[in-house]
Amino acid sequence: MRYFIKLAYNGTSYHGWQYQPNATSVQEVLNKAFSVILNTDISIMGAGRTDTGVHASQMFAHFDYDDTIDSKQFIHKINSYLPKDIVVFDVFIVSDEAHTRFDATKRTYEYHINTFKDPFSQELSWYFHQQLDLDLMNEASQLLFNHTNFQSFSKVNTDVNTFDCTIYEAYWKQENNKLLFTISANRFLRNMVRSIVGTLVNVGLKKITVADFNTIIESKNRDKAGFSVPAHGLYLTKIEYPFLVNKND
């Protein structure tokens, strides 16, 4: 039987989601915990790969297991065993063909910037004190809808068949001393959100114009785009599946 897991994690202490032989990853910790609690080798597949230091307030993953799991009892056991920076919200049966990565139709990320120094969020948002023009940044964000190829915002040495992504939403808003960027798409390239944010920050600083931002996208050249903002301000916040209407929120 195939099970989906709905979970969240603070990525500060992890070298990303994906298993790595010489560094601790979220996937590795989950594999070990599930294997111990279920008393068999469990291999967990995630809906995507977050980079080192990136957080997820909502992540889905799946695994196969031959027996029935009492969800309520299991969730209590697994959360008691897992470290404090990983939490499992739900575990439920899906069809044997369901896949957390390939069946996801929409993913949403948020990037958090603090404009005033906050000692309680140093690892959870990027402190940036310079004045940013949010109107210009939102104007530039709307240009993302006019494009599908985002090679300019992708890591250069990445193994993908296409740089095409469909953007569903992209906007900035301010909440007191925090700036929040939300972006949704059917898929994302490696480092894409962080490099988009860095380039939009350059727009907000008036180092480049809104027209320049459009030219950068059209260039399909990562060297033309802006810097990549720090990972600790980035959150994977939502993953949507057409067959999980009640689980997506």
Side-chain angles (χ1 to χ4, degrees), residues 90-208:
D90 203 358
V91 176
F92 52 93
I93 294 177
V94 292
S95 71
D96 290 345
E97 293 76 32
H99 198 288
T100 49
R101 180 182 174 190
F102 299 132
D103 291 343
T105 55
K106 184 179 179 181
R107 295 169 168 84
T108 301
Y109 281 89
E110 290 179 358
Y111 195 83
H112 295 228
I113 296 176
N114 267 358
T115 58
F116 190 82
K117 187 175 182 180
D118 180 0
F120 302 106
S121 63
Q122 290 298 304
E123 296 178 338
L124 300 174
S125 65
W126 180 39
Y127 168 50
F128 188 79
H129 69 278
Q130 292 178 256
Q131 185 69 34
L132 294 171
D133 189 322
L134 223 59
D135 290 335
L136 285 177
M137 292 162 72
N138 268 321
E139 185 181 343
S141 297
Q142 297 309 296
L143 297 176
L144 293 167
F145 300 117
N146 300 335
H147 301 273
T148 55
N149 187 303
F150 295 100
Q151 186 172 355
S152 296
F153 302 121
S154 174
K155 277 196 172 182
V156 177
N157 298 316
T158 184
D159 183 22
V160 294
N161 296 321
T162 176
F163 292 100
D164 285 354
C165 307
T166 301
I167 305 293
Y168 300 124
E169 57 182 346
Y171 62 91
W172 289 87
K173 65 179 181 179
Q174 183 162 6
E175 299 174 349
N176 298 318
N177 293 321
K178 177 172 283 188
L179 303 180
L180 185 66
F181 179 64
T182 301
I183 184 167
S184 299
N186 64 329
R187 64 189 290 266
F188 287 92
L189 306 168
R190 287 196 65 192
N191 210 53
M192 178 174 165
V193 180
R194 290 166 60 195
S195 56
I196 286 177
V197 172
T199 310
L200 288 171
V201 165
N202 282 341
V203 173
L205 291 171
K206 299 181 181 179
K207 289 184 175 180
I208 62 173

Side-chain angles (χ1 to χ4, degrees), residues 66-111:
D66 292 334
D67 206 351
T68 302
I69 293 175
D70 181 326
S71 178
K72 186 175 181 180
Q73 184 181 49
F74 178 80
I75 289 169
H76 174 73
K77 285 184 177 179
I78 197 69
N79 282 326
S80 298
Y81 189 88
L82 285 167
K84 62 183 179 181
D85 48 14
I86 302 176
V87 61
V88 170
F89 297 122
D90 203 358
V91 176
F92 52 93
I93 294 177
V94 292
S95 71
D96 290 345
E97 293 76 32
H99 198 288
T100 49
R101 180 182 174 190
F102 299 132
D103 291 343
T105 55
K106 184 179 179 181
R107 295 169 168 84
T108 301
Y109 281 89
E110 290 179 358
Y111 195 83

